[in-house]
């Protein structure tokens, strides 16, 4: 699979996995998920934001969009067991973007 992705400029196997995962997650119609347990929607929301963040941190993806997705996840799913990892990752993305005051706010939630 990596050989096929290298033609698109993707050479890191880990980054390739995040790209593929994000594309697959984008195919999930959350309107249909709404008829299923809330936990399924939480998982989709978290892993979409997680993949965006990993790409932003490793490949120079859109850090602002990744941070916004993680913040939205934390706002929408405060009771999720992914809340603290999402807040910490949002801090990592904010720090990588040079927004250290924002990063501190995310990290304080985790502390």
């Amino acid at each position: 699979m990596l050989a096929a992705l290298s033609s698109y400029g993707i050479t890191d196997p880990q980054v390739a996995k995040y790209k593929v995962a994000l594309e697959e997650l984008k195919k999930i119609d959350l309107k249909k998920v709404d008829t299923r347990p809330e936990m399924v929607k939480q998982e989709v929301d978290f892993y979409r934001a997680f993949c965006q963040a990993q790409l932003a941190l490793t490949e120079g993806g859109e850090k602002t969009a990744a941070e916004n997705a993680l913040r939205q996840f934390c706002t929408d799913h405060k009771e999720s067991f992914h809340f603290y990892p999402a807040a910490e990752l949002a801090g990592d993305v904010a720090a990588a973007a040079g927004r250290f005051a924002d990063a501190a706010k995310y990290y304080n939630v985790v502390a």
Side-chain angles (χ1 to χ4, degrees):
M1 177 175 95
L2 187 58
L5 292 173
S6 65
S7 64
Y8 295 100
I10 302 170
T11 56
D12 183 342
Q14 193 65 30
V15 171
K17 291 177 186 177
Y18 290 127
K19 281 189 175 224
V20 171
L22 184 56
E23 290 306 313
E24 290 300 314
L25 287 164
K26 286 180 179 179
K27 293 177 185 177
I28 297 173
D29 183 356
L30 289 178
K31 292 176 184 166
K32 292 181 182 175
V33 173
D34 286 343
T35 63
R36 293 183 172 79
E38 178 63 21
M39 183 177 258
V40 174
K41 184 178 183 312
Q42 286 180 15
E43 290 295 299
V44 172
D45 287 345
F46 173 73
Y47 283 108
R48 282 181 178 173
F50 177 84
C51 288
Q52 283 180 292
Q54 293 300 325
L55 289 170
L57 292 171
T58 60
E59 192 176 78
E62 180 55 45
K63 290 177 180 68
T64 301
E67 183 183 345
N68 289 341
L70 288 162
R71 183 176 49 248
Q72 189 64 49
F73 174 84
C74 289
T75 299
D76 293 347
H77 307 293
K78 292 177 181 166
E79 301 300 319
S80 170
F81 67 94
H82 290 303
F83 177 85
Y84 291 106
E88 183 177 13
L89 188 54
D92 295 345
V93 173
R99 292 187 300 278
F100 302 110
D102 290 338
K105 290 176 189 175
Y106 294 120
Y107 292 141
N108 282 332
V109 170
V110 177

